Amino acid sequence: MPKTTGRVTLPSEGNFLNETKEMMARWGADALRDSDGTKLPEDIKALDAKIYTTYFVARGHNEFARKHMEECQQMYLMSRRVTAVEETVDIPFMEGYFEQQVMPDYVHDCKKWWEVIDRTSGEIVAVKDWDIDETSHTVTIKNASPFHEYTVSFLVFALWDPTQMYNHITNNWGEKPHEIPFDVRQPASGQFAKDYLIQWLKENPRTDVVRFTTFFYHFTLVFNQNAKEKFVDWFGYGATVSVKALEEFEEEYGYALRPEDIVDNGYYHSTFRVPSKQYLDYMDFIQRFVARKAKELVDLVHEEGREAMMFLGDNWIGTEPYGPYFPEIGLDAVVGSVGGGATLRLISDIPGVKYTEGRFLPYFFPDTFYEGNDPCIEARENWLGARRALMRKPVDRIGYGGYLSLAYKFPEFVDYIEKVADEFREIYDSIAGSRPYCGLKVAILNCWGKLRSWQAFMVAHALWYKQTYSYFGILESLSGASVDVIFLSFEDIRKGGIPEDIDVIVNAGAAGSAFSGGEEWLDSNLVSAIRQFVYRGGGFVGIGEPSAVHSGGRFFQLSDILGIDKELGFSLSTDKYFTKEMDHHFLKEDRHRSFDFGESMGNIYALSQDTEIIEFSNGEIHISAHPYGKGRGVYLAGLPYSYENTRLLLRSLYYSAGKETQMKRWFADNPLCEVHAYPETKKYAIVNNSSEAQNTVVYDGEGNSSHICLEGSQILWRQM
Amino acid sequence: MPKTTGRVTLPSEGNFLNETKEMMARWGADALRDSDGTKLPEDIKALDAKIYTTYFVARGHNEFARKHMEECQQMYLMSRRVTAVEETVDIPFMEGYFEQQVMPDYVHDCKKWWEVIDRTSGEIVAVKDWDIDETSHTVTIKNASPFHEYTVSFLVFALWDPTQMYNHITNNWGEKPHEIPFDVRQPASGQFAKDYLIQWLKENPRTDVVRFTTFFYHFTLVFNQNAKEKFVDWFGYGATVSVKALEEFEEEYGYALRPEDIVDNGYYHSTFRVPSKQYLDYMDFIQRFVARKAKELVDLVHEEGREAMMFLGDNWIGTEPYGPYFPEIGLDAVVGSVGGGATLRLISDIPGVKYTEGRFLPYFFPDTFYEGNDPCIEARENWLGARRALMRKPVDRIGYGGYLSLAYKFPEFVDYIEKVADEFREIYDSIAGSRPYCGLKVAILNCWGKLRSWQAFMVAHALWYKQTYSYFGILESLSGASVDVIFLSFEDIRKGGIPEDIDVIVNAGAAGSAFSGGEEWLDSNLVSAIRQFVYRGGGFVGIGEPSAVHSGGRFFQLSDILGIDKELGFSLSTDKYFTKEMDHHFLKEDRHRSFDFGESMGNIYALSQDTEIIEFSNGEIHISAHPYGKGRGVYLAGLPYSYENTRLLLRSLYYSAGKETQMKRWFADNPLCEVHAYPETKKYAIVNNSSEAQNTVVYDGEGNSSHICLEGSQILWRQM
């Protein structure tokens, strides 16, 4: 590969000038950044590079915050459940929370803003029947129903930014002050945020890119009495709440939110919950506020001739990069952490910014860069995982974080990243902004649709969860597959129907969740629209518990399309005749190992002999297909990410759309390899996703095949 | 053992006089019976034995039935679902049914008695919008909503008794007439049933016991177009339906049933469905009718000085031996098939009869009694399984069915049954009607309660189902355990509270089923009553998905008692701290092998550090316990039957009730052995449930221990 430069951001630090120059040259970096715990010294800032500087809007200004404690951010919290054993019951509502993080709000009228709920009957306890002891943080309920469970939903002030708290506690920062989050919705805070930025821009003339980390409201992150994480939702609007926000909401929407509209039984409307109308209204209300306020800051940055970059995380709530208001902010760029293909696409697909940047792993921190460890392992895994997605839609820049001096001590790592940076630029320049060949257009259907593109099935950002990995694999698979992917909500279909150009709809997730859809499936217009779509030739792929809500004698409301349903125990009296899997089927043509369905799904049975049973074991179906008019339904019991499962999903998509004869175009037979074609630039790439050498048959756009050998992780670029 | 006689019934047949005498002597039989396909000849009837004769009330009289086809039995059936693809849709409603079994009822006004339902919207289609073509058995719907699914609920006449049909088809009976079931609710049939019995009794003077097989209505058993079983519910009231019954119901109850009240989305109110009020009313209505009509026949038998015995099966619907009206029938005896311990108790616990009889396995049929096969294997398994239950509550008689001539050819089998018969009489005489020692009183709580004592988790009688065996094991375990078992319904608790003498409540089953309880758990009075019970010292054992209905932020409504809940995906954002199982716990003191939870349960997590995690694997809990006031909750992920699981359940029961120190009374340490004590007769028995020799420590009623060696399957009787 020829040596190229640019599109790479490096962290740097003090007393590291010459090494920084060397690393910039090796990796072709054209931008330098500070990092958590580092500040760029003047000699570094003087280098020929763009300078990024981290900027906190709503924390890190305790001298201001302490003077305006009434403008602290707020949250609604739910107490633990307490069972009444007689007619009087005490609820020490702060139990289980961390008093250094949150403090009950006794400033505003608790009888107005709090709610005591009988969770056994579901009823709200009359305010006359409870009182608060502010000393012990206890609500006492009288006239309680014995052996009912009660909770208190109460407002708190947030005293400590949870990200700083986590770093503070983890790194034993001792006496370092706790950064107090203030709320820019409040008058003094709103003004301060602007004034300070103006001053800061003046004081930091060498900063080219203001790296907002981030804006106003942290994702919901609450700690317990032992300062351990208690609740985390990377999408949660918990920290956006305040009396002022609730009052303004009521004025604007004409109805008041209840505490329960936020608290939601203690689920706090996590992204897995089917959102209520109230919660959607509230989100929209917050998004509009955040966009308006963020624009004010971005405008100030632009007035000073700098760029505004947003970090996708921490205080990102309300920005919703795929939401309708995000482009109005006017950001130049978004930067985010890349955990794999799906998180890369989450960044690179963001509309309305000039460029995107991915922060790759590993972070240059001592947990990876210690003697005896090989940081190349994590780097290679991260790069190969994300590279598939880069081939589809690259971020415009890559970068790293942490202490450059740590990475510098690992020459093999430096070598490896040099290759990565060169390969990234080669990919970027070869694609040159052109659209890759897509054999199919696939819509992921759930409650969130476009708003949470590439964000389905996540709790905390890209962490593994037992209940999610069997679904998250779908996104990871698709992130690098040669299909066009869009995200569609149930509401989109209700309002605008199913877009004409969609080949396949995918619905996946646990029953009742926002991703499967829960009671959305009781909407007969929705169900009919999808049936019509498939009947006329479209594909439907259901994974896990698709269209699941028990009604009318079925659990999967699209069981007629899928040809299967899940036995809940109500239809045990009905004989299940079909238990033999087919020896051969398009979906398993290249499967040599047994299938891996992750957590899988039990008790799936075929409804008719038309159902093609592709995998049957343990007395149940795990893969099936079923004709429905001119289209087909395909069922998969789960799809944890692997190259084999990516292939299984691709086959499912083509088969469901009735386009299985078209799959072998710009295609590699070997599931460890993929072909990406760029008709506009007349180039195509044959990619070995594995670290080992691979042989594969490769098909061109007309389906002509040839045999190719690839070295480990090689990309072979060819002209059409 | 001394040679004893009596309490044993043998089948006999023609040309088998001397062998019958020999077998009677060997097995100590004092009664002879005919069997399916055999008739006792006069020489056999002349022997010194009670003579049982099978009697069919509502079938086997085709000369009558053919003259009164309008009095055929009826059923409601649901057509398959048909999707409308335009505004007109045809439903060939007989598709999938067997025209030799059922025929649409066009006699009664279809527009009045049938129902066309839009299963997608749940709405009933107006009668003006559909018409029937009686030639092709097709309903045509107009003004349909495209891509909605439609069904027809239609009345049929039943033309063939399903048990005879099954035997007819299985045995290729060719031209043998199909026995037409007639409905004794109709005038001519009701009269005929009595007249014929009077005449029959006169013609069969040597019959001592009229073995009713059974009364009027077969359990629901419907065949498909290929004459294969399509729907089977051993508890189903499907065949009790008729226009006359529906009219009489409306007159008596003041409201009309809809077809859907029977059809129930195609589930036909299987015993797994939480029963609706309408269905419970209907069952009660049928039970009263059946009891009244059956009494008329039993009275006729008694007038002739004979005994009336009911076979528990086939046409038993509406008798409900544990229901309120059963004793009114005045039966002398019930006989039923013994598949194991639970089915034995199902027979032996029946109240309101003079004696009970168990028909043991194997049946003397060629499928077992063929050259090269050892029928002793099945006999031993059946006997050892049932014997545990006999030790708790014996049937009064045992018996066999089939062809005695077949069994006679297997001398080792004849030897084995000779021992069985002697052992049975020894057990029976030793217990002498006394009540065995019970260390605890346990209530199984579900929708059916006492009505379906020992009948929970069954589809067809005692058959294995993937979705049931992990729960049926509870009944099988308890059937021979030294605890008192009662069956309690939710309604019982609502009406009368929890009986004072209960130690432990057990709730088990799949979420939403009649056995777990589904929406019954939304009743806060019910929930509070159980909480109070446990708080005051009672035990609660939940198995599978106990108290499961998603509401108020919990799936298990008694999760506060159990200290665990099931993660449905809504609370993934909440940290789960407790993942370490305890090294030692009362529940696993004698466990040496890994646990077997059958189908098991996923995603169970602990709610607090008070939860005692007893088994944790695959990232989830399978056994736990939790203190609640003075009582405890215990959770088990499933309990397929085994001796080890019987012990696990016993430990769970004692532990939940806080009586774990009292477990080792009349107790054997070795889980393959059990002790049964009879304080009234001052005897106790140490039983080896296995076929191999066993060593065990045995505890007496004061907890004093001694060491005992037992031969394979031995019972050691001792005086206290």
Side-chain angles (χ1 to χ4, degrees):
Chain A
M1 274 185 281
K3 190 70 199 168
T4 54
T5 58
R7 305 205 169 277
V8 173
T9 304
L10 284 194
S12 190
E13 60 196 281
N15 301 316
F16 210 62
L17 181 64
N18 288 331
E19 297 91 334
T20 300
K21 283 184 192 168
E22 182 193 336
M23 295 287 272
M24 283 179 70
R26 293 278 305 270
W27 295 0
D30 58 352
L32 292 170
R33 54 165 292 196
D34 53 7
S35 203
D36 296 16
T38 61
K39 238 173 113 85
L40 295 187
E42 290 306 317
D43 58 352
I44 296 283
K45 288 195 204 167
L47 291 173
D48 181 23
K50 264 190 174 177
I51 301 297
Y52 294 11
T53 311
T54 298
Y55 187 87
F56 297 108
V57 175
R59 64 153 160 136
H61 303 289
N62 279 7
E63 70 293 354
F64 165 80
R66 284 213 189 83
K67 282 185 214 144
H68 299 276
M69 290 303 283
E70 75 288 357
E71 295 197 357
C72 269
Q73 292 195 5
Q74 297 203 265
M75 302 181 84
Y76 267 122
L77 297 178
M78 188 180 93
S79 74
R80 69 174 179 85
R81 291 149 181 269
V82 177
T83 303
V85 296
E86 46 190 40
E87 291 196 351
T88 301
V89 56
D90 289 338
I91 305 186
F93 50 83
M94 277 290 289
E95 242 182 56
Y97 292 104
F98 188 43
E99 297 205 359
Q100 295 185 48
Q101 185 190 13
V102 293
M103 176 176 73
D105 169 8
Y106 298 126
V107 177
H108 300 97
D109 180 2
C110 300
K111 294 279 184 165
K112 177 175 165 67
W113 295 105
W114 297 20
E115 210 167 55
V116 178
I117 294 184
D118 177 342
R119 293 283 171 195
T120 302
S121 71
E123 286 160 13
I124 303 173
V125 176
V127 292
K128 69 171 176 56
D129 282 338
W130 55 272
D131 283 300
I132 303 175
D133 176 21
E134 298 185 7
T135 317
S136 64
H137 305 317
T138 299
V139 161
T140 299
I141 305 169
K142 54 194 179 197
N143 301 319
S145 302
F147 295 100
H148 284 216
E149 282 190 306
Y150 292 87
T151 63
V152 177
S153 303
F154 58 110
L155 269 177
V156 295
F157 290 113
L159 304 176
W160 198 354
D161 176 87
T163 288
Q164 201 236 358
M165 183 186 335
Y166 176 81
N167 291 332
H168 199 290
I169 292 166
T170 306
N171 301 315
N172 286 310
W173 285 349
E175 292 305 303
K176 191 168 177 173
H178 299 177
E179 295 188 358
I180 304 165
F182 48 91
D183 186 352
V184 298
R185 185 182 291 276
Q186 306 291 348
S189 298
Q191 192 58 48
F192 175 82
K194 283 191 285 189
D195 294 347
Y196 187 85
L197 179 58
I198 292 166
Q199 181 196 336
W200 185 91
L201 287 166
K202 287 205 178 78
E203 290 168 359
N204 290 272
R206 187 57 190 94
T207 296
D208 301 298
V209 179
V210 180
R211 188 179 181 277
F212 284 103
T213 305
T214 311
F215 290 110
F216 315 124
Y217 303 114
H218 203 282
F219 60 84
T220 316
L221 181 54
V222 181
F223 291 74
N224 74 6
Q225 71 280 11
N226 302 318
K228 295 260 183 289
E229 186 186 279
K230 180 187 180 78
F231 183 94
V232 57
D233 177 13
W234 200 65
F235 303 90
Y237 278 56
T240 67
V241 169
S242 65
V243 167
K244 188 154 189 281
L246 294 170
E247 285 172 341
E248 288 174 7
F249 178 93
E250 182 176 2
E251 197 172 332
E252 190 173 334
Y253 284 79
Y255 73 94
L257 292 173
R258 279 178 53 195
E260 185 65 8
D261 290 324
I262 306 296
V263 162
D264 179 28
N265 297 289
Y267 302 134
Y268 298 99
H269 277 297
S270 97
T271 187
F272 287 82
R273 291 281 283 166
V274 173
S276 64
K277 183 192 171 296
Q278 289 88 330
Y279 193 68
L280 289 172
D281 281 353
Y282 180 73
M283 284 177 63
D284 198 66
F285 168 76
I286 293 295
Q287 284 172 58
R288 286 185 290 107
F289 173 79
V290 166
R292 193 169 72 242
K293 282 285 165 190
K295 182 179 190 309
E296 293 176 10
L297 302 185
V298 168
D299 285 349
L300 292 173
V301 171
H302 287 164
E303 280 165 25
E304 289 292 317
R306 323 289 177 83
E307 288 184 358
M309 175 182 275
M310 173 182 122
F311 172 63
L312 188 73
D314 294 2
N315 298 57
W316 75 300
I317 291 303
T319 62
E320 299 288 359
Y322 292 89
Y325 312 112
F326 181 74
E328 296 171 11
I329 300 175
L331 284 161
D332 299 282
V334 173
V335 60
S337 172
V338 174
T343 50
L344 185 122
R345 290 292 293 272
L346 163 53
I347 300 161
S348 66
D349 277 9
I350 290 176
V353 287
K354 296 197 189 79
Y355 64 95
T356 58
E357 180 168 323
R359 193 192 67 203
F360 280 67
L361 299 179
Y363 230 62
F364 304 163
F365 271 177
D367 56 350
T368 305
F369 290 83
Y370 59 88
E371 209 181 299
N373 193 43
D374 179 4
C376 291
I377 294 170
E378 190 181 348
R380 191 177 297 114
E381 192 184 328
N382 189 242
W383 176 246
L384 289 185
R387 196 179 67 172
R388 294 181 60 234
L390 278 175
M391 301 300 293
R392 309 305 305 166
K393 173 71 179 165
V395 286
D396 299 287
R397 303 181 56 83
I398 64 173
Y400 294 87
Y403 301 95
L404 190 61
S405 57
L406 272 180
Y408 188 78
K409 292 180 196 156
F410 290 76
E412 286 180 18
F413 178 75
V414 174
D415 289 348
Y416 182 69
I417 300 301
E418 182 174 357
K419 284 186 205 128
V420 163
D422 286 339
E423 188 167 84
F424 167 66
R425 285 183 288 261
E426 186 186 28
I427 292 169
Y428 193 84
D429 294 341
S430 299
I431 297 177
S434 74
R435 193 176 171 279
Y437 167 80
C438 292
L440 292 172
K441 187 161 184 178
V442 178
I444 309 287
L445 176 65
N446 58 44
C447 285
W448 295 112
K450 188 182 167 208
L451 187 74
R452 297 212 167 139
S453 298
W454 300 107
Q455 295 159 68
F457 312 115
M458 285 192 205
V459 181
H461 185 74
L463 286 189
W464 185 95
Y465 280 73
K466 175 178 165 67
Q467 289 84 2
T468 61
Y469 76 95
S470 310
Y471 299 121
F472 188 75
I474 302 162
L475 298 186
E476 193 63 26
S477 293
L478 290 176
S479 70
S482 33
V483 296
D484 198 5
V485 182
I486 67 160
F487 294 84
L488 205 62
S489 74
F490 300 113
E491 190 66 9
D492 290 338
I493 294 183
R494 269 192 290 267
K495 281 188 172 157
I498 296 167
E500 282 295 321
D501 58 348
I502 297 289
D503 294 295
V504 185
I505 291 172
V506 177
N507 178 244
S513 70
F515 303 111
S516 172
E519 298 196 348
E520 293 278 2
W521 291 106
L522 297 179
D523 176 350
S524 54
N525 291 333
L526 172 72
V527 168
S528 303
I530 296 175
R531 284 179 181 153
Q532 186 183 63
F533 165 79
V534 179
Y535 189 79
R536 291 180 178 173
F540 179 81
V541 175
I543 303 174
E545 295 179 310
S547 74
V549 58
H550 185 231
S551 176
R554 289 287 189 244
F555 186 48
F556 296 166
Q557 293 302 307
L558 295 181
S559 60
D560 55 336
I561 293 176
L562 293 167
I564 51 100
D565 202 356
K566 182 173 175 179
E567 175 59 76
L568 299 180
F570 307 131
S571 48
L572 291 174
S573 291
T574 299
D575 285 87
K576 315 292 192 298
Y577 302 114
F578 316 109
T579 58
K580 206 174 141 19
E581 72 176 42
M582 300 166 77
D583 291 332
H584 303 285
H585 194 281
F586 176 76
L587 261 65
K588 57 181 173 183
E589 264 173 20
D590 50 16
R591 192 79 181 196
H592 302 299
R593 298 197 298 181
S594 64
F595 289 97
D596 174 12
F597 305 110
E599 294 298 297
S600 197
M601 189 51 57
N603 298 313
I604 303 294
Y605 68 97
L607 292 167
S608 82
Q609 59 187 6
D610 293 341
T611 304
E612 299 158 21
I613 300 177
I614 299 160
E615 202 277 355
F616 188 96
S617 56
N618 190 28
E620 59 204 18
I621 291 172
H622 303 102
I623 308 179
S624 63
H626 183 254
Y628 190 83
K630 292 181 182 166
R632 288 193 183 111
V634 169
Y635 178 78
L636 303 172
L639 198 96
Y641 179 61
S642 69
Y643 294 129
E644 288 90 346
N645 275 350
T646 299
R647 188 54 55 94
L648 172 62
L649 179 59
L650 198 73
R651 287 183 170 274
S652 301
L653 296 170
Y654 273 96
Y655 191 70
S656 70
K659 291 190 172 176
E660 60 272 28
T661 59
Q662 296 171 38
M663 185 180 72
K664 294 191 174 178
R665 294 183 188 172
W666 302 123
F667 180 85
D669 256 351
N670 183 333
L672 301 176
C673 301
E674 283 173 308
V675 178
H676 303 281
Y678 308 89
E680 295 164 24
T681 59
K682 303 276 182 214
K683 286 183 181 171
Y684 67 100
I686 307 161
V687 183
N688 179 357
N689 288 318
S690 79
S691 295
E692 293 77 42
Q694 297 292 338
N695 292 314
T696 183
V697 176
V698 167
Y699 298 83
D700 69 11
E702 275 76 48
N704 304 311
S705 66
S706 56
H707 191 272
I708 300 283
C709 302
L710 291 160
E711 291 168 30
S713 75
Q714 189 182 2
I715 302 182
L716 208 60
W717 286 96
R718 296 221 167 151
Q719 291 293 329
M720 286 187 183
Chain B
M1 273 183 285
K3 189 71 198 164
T4 53
T5 58
R7 305 206 169 276
V8 174
T9 304
L10 283 194
S12 190
E13 58 196 284
N15 299 318
F16 209 63
L17 181 63
N18 287 332
E19 296 92 335
T20 300
K21 283 185 192 167
E22 182 192 338
M23 296 285 272
M24 284 179 70
R26 292 279 303 272
W27 294 359
D30 59 352
L32 292 169
R33 54 166 291 199
D34 54 7
S35 202
D36 297 15
T38 62
K39 240 174 113 79
L40 294 187
E42 291 307 317
D43 58 352
I44 296 282
K45 289 195 203 170
L47 291 174
D48 180 23
K50 264 190 174 179
I51 300 297
Y52 294 12
T53 310
T54 298
Y55 187 87
F56 297 107
V57 175
R59 64 153 160 136
H61 302 290
N62 278 6
E63 71 294 351
F64 165 81
R66 284 212 192 82
K67 280 186 216 147
H68 298 276
M69 289 304 281
E70 76 287 357
E71 295 196 357
C72 269
Q73 293 194 7
Q74 298 204 265
M75 303 180 84
Y76 267 121
L77 298 178
M78 188 180 91
S79 75
R80 69 175 177 85
R81 291 150 183 268
V82 177
T83 303
V85 295
E86 47 189 39
E87 290 195 352
T88 301
V89 56
D90 289 338
I91 304 186
F93 51 83
M94 277 291 288
E95 242 181 56
Y97 291 104
F98 188 42
E99 297 203 1
Q100 294 184 48
Q101 185 190 12
V102 293
M103 175 176 74
D105 169 9
Y106 298 126
V107 177
H108 301 96
D109 181 2
C110 301
K111 295 279 186 165
K112 177 175 165 66
W113 295 105
W114 297 20
E115 209 165 55
V116 179
I117 293 184
D118 177 341
R119 294 283 171 196
T120 302
S121 71
E123 286 159 12
I124 303 173
V125 176
V127 291
K128 71 173 177 51
D129 282 338
W130 55 271
D131 283 301
I132 304 175
D133 176 21
E134 298 186 6
T135 318
S136 65
H137 304 316
T138 300
V139 161
T140 300
I141 305 169
K142 56 195 177 195
N143 301 320
S145 301
F147 295 100
H148 284 216
E149 282 190 307
Y150 291 87
T151 62
V152 177
S153 303
F154 59 108
L155 269 177
V156 295
F157 289 113
L159 305 175
W160 198 354
D161 176 86
T163 288
Q164 200 236 359
M165 183 187 334
Y166 177 81
N167 291 333
H168 198 290
I169 292 166
T170 306
N171 301 317
N172 287 311
W173 285 350
E175 292 304 305
K176 189 167 179 175
H178 300 177
E179 293 187 0
I180 303 165
F182 48 91
D183 186 352
V184 298
R185 186 182 290 277
Q186 306 290 349
S189 298
Q191 192 56 50
F192 176 82
K194 285 193 283 189
D195 293 347
Y196 188 85
L197 178 59
I198 292 166
Q199 180 194 336
W200 186 91
L201 287 166
K202 288 206 175 79
E203 290 169 0
N204 288 274
R206 186 58 189 94
T207 296
D208 300 299
V209 179
V210 181
R211 186 180 182 277
F212 285 102
T213 308
T214 312
F215 289 109
F216 314 125
Y217 303 113
H218 202 282
F219 61 84
T220 315
L221 180 55
V222 180
F223 291 74
N224 74 5
Q225 71 280 11
N226 302 318
K228 297 259 183 289
E229 186 186 279
K230 180 187 181 78
F231 183 94
V232 58
D233 178 12
W234 200 64
F235 303 90
Y237 277 56
T240 66
V241 170
S242 66
V243 166
K244 188 154 189 284
L246 294 170
E247 284 171 341
E248 288 174 7
F249 179 93
E250 182 175 2
E251 197 173 333
E252 188 172 337
Y253 285 77
Y255 73 93
L257 292 173
R258 279 177 55 195
E260 186 64 8
D261 290 323
I262 306 296
V263 163
D264 178 28
N265 296 288
Y267 302 134
Y268 299 98
H269 277 296
S270 96
T271 186
F272 287 81
R273 292 280 283 165
V274 173
S276 64
K277 182 194 171 295
Q278 289 88 330
Y279 193 66
L280 288 172
D281 281 352
Y282 181 72
M283 283 177 62
D284 198 67
F285 168 77
I286 294 296
Q287 285 173 58
R288 286 185 290 110
F289 173 80
V290 166
R292 193 171 71 243
K293 281 285 163 189
K295 180 179 192 311
E296 292 176 10
L297 302 186
V298 169
D299 284 350
L300 292 173
V301 171
H302 288 165
E303 280 165 24
E304 289 291 318
R306 324 288 177 83
E307 287 184 359
M309 173 181 276
M310 174 181 120
F311 172 63
L312 187 72
D314 294 3
N315 297 55
W316 75 300
I317 293 301
T319 61
E320 299 288 0
Y322 292 89
Y325 312 111
F326 181 75
E328 295 171 11
I329 300 175
L331 283 161
D332 299 281
V334 173
V335 60
S337 171
V338 174
T343 50
L344 185 122
R345 290 292 292 272
L346 164 54
I347 300 162
S348 67
D349 277 9
I350 290 175
V353 288
K354 297 195 188 80
Y355 64 96
T356 58
E357 178 166 323
R359 192 191 69 203
F360 279 66
L361 299 179
Y363 229 63
F364 304 163
F365 271 176
D367 56 350
T368 306
F369 290 83
Y370 60 88
E371 207 179 301
N373 192 43
D374 179 5
C376 290
I377 295 169
E378 189 180 348
R380 192 176 298 114
E381 190 184 330
N382 188 243
W383 176 245
L384 288 185
R387 196 179 67 173
R388 294 181 61 234
L390 278 174
M391 301 300 294
R392 309 304 306 167
K393 172 71 180 167
V395 288
D396 299 286
R397 303 180 56 83
I398 64 173
Y400 293 87
Y403 301 95
L404 190 62
S405 58
L406 272 180
Y408 188 78
K409 291 180 195 157
F410 289 75
E412 286 179 17
F413 178 76
V414 173
D415 288 350
Y416 182 69
I417 300 301
E418 181 173 358
K419 284 187 204 126
V420 162
D422 286 340
E423 189 167 83
F424 167 67
R425 284 182 289 259
E426 187 186 27
I427 292 169
Y428 193 85
D429 294 341
S430 298
I431 297 178
S434 73
R435 195 175 169 280
Y437 167 80
C438 294
L440 291 173
K441 186 160 184 178
V442 178
I444 308 287
L445 176 65
N446 58 42
C447 285
W448 295 113
K450 187 182 169 207
L451 186 73
R452 295 209 169 140
S453 299
W454 300 106
Q455 295 159 68
F457 314 113
M458 284 192 204
V459 181
H461 185 75
L463 286 189
W464 186 94
Y465 280 72
K466 174 177 166 66
Q467 289 84 1
T468 60
Y469 77 94
S470 311
Y471 299 120
F472 189 73
I474 301 162
L475 298 187
E476 193 63 25
S477 292
L478 290 177
S479 69
S482 33
V483 296
D484 198 5
V485 182
I486 68 158
F487 294 84
L488 206 62
S489 74
F490 300 111
E491 191 65 12
D492 289 338
I493 294 184
R494 269 192 289 267
K495 282 187 174 159
I498 297 167
E500 283 295 320
D501 58 348
I502 296 290
D503 293 295
V504 186
I505 291 173
V506 177
N507 178 242
S513 71
F515 303 112
S516 172
E519 298 197 346
E520 293 278 3
W521 291 105
L522 297 179
D523 176 350
S524 54
N525 292 333
L526 171 72
V527 168
S528 304
I530 296 175
R531 285 179 181 152
Q532 186 183 62
F533 165 79
V534 179
Y535 190 81
R536 293 182 178 173
F540 179 80
V541 175
I543 303 175
E545 294 179 309
S547 74
V549 57
H550 185 232
S551 176
R554 289 286 189 245
F555 187 47
F556 296 166
Q557 293 302 307
L558 296 181
S559 59
D560 54 336
I561 293 176
L562 293 167
I564 51 101
D565 201 358
K566 182 174 175 180
E567 174 59 76
L568 299 179
F570 308 131
S571 48
L572 292 175
S573 291
T574 300
D575 285 88
K576 315 292 194 297
Y577 303 114
F578 316 110
T579 59
K580 207 174 141 21
E581 74 176 43
M582 301 166 79
D583 292 331
H584 303 285
H585 194 281
F586 177 75
L587 261 66
K588 56 181 174 184
E589 264 173 20
D590 50 15
R591 192 78 182 199
H592 302 299
R593 298 197 299 178
S594 64
F595 288 99
D596 174 12
F597 305 110
E599 294 298 298
S600 196
M601 189 52 57
N603 299 313
I604 303 294
Y605 67 97
L607 293 168
S608 83
Q609 60 189 4
D610 294 340
T611 304
E612 299 158 20
I613 301 178
I614 299 159
E615 201 278 354
F616 187 96
S617 56
N618 191 28
E620 58 203 19
I621 291 172
H622 303 102
I623 309 180
S624 63
H626 182 253
Y628 190 83
K630 292 182 183 167
R632 288 192 184 112
V634 169
Y635 178 78
L636 303 172
L639 200 96
Y641 179 62
S642 69
Y643 293 129
E644 287 90 344
N645 276 350
T646 299
R647 187 55 55 95
L648 172 62
L649 179 59
L650 198 72
R651 287 182 170 274
S652 302
L653 297 169
Y654 273 96
Y655 191 71
S656 71
K659 294 190 173 177
E660 60 271 28
T661 57
Q662 297 172 38
M663 186 179 73
K664 293 190 175 179
R665 295 185 188 170
W666 302 122
F667 181 85
D669 257 352
N670 183 335
L672 301 176
C673 301
E674 284 173 308
V675 178
H676 303 280
Y678 308 90
E680 295 164 24
T681 58
K682 304 272 180 219
K683 285 182 182 172
Y684 67 100
I686 307 163
V687 183
N688 179 357
N689 288 318
S690 79
S691 295
E692 294 76 42
Q694 298 292 339
N695 293 313
T696 184
V697 175
V698 167
Y699 298 82
D700 70 12
E702 275 77 46
N704 304 311
S705 66
S706 56
H707 192 272
I708 300 282
C709 302
L710 290 160
E711 291 168 31
S713 75
Q714 189 184 2
I715 302 181
L716 208 61
W717 285 97
R718 296 222 169 150
Q719 290 293 328
M720 288 186 182

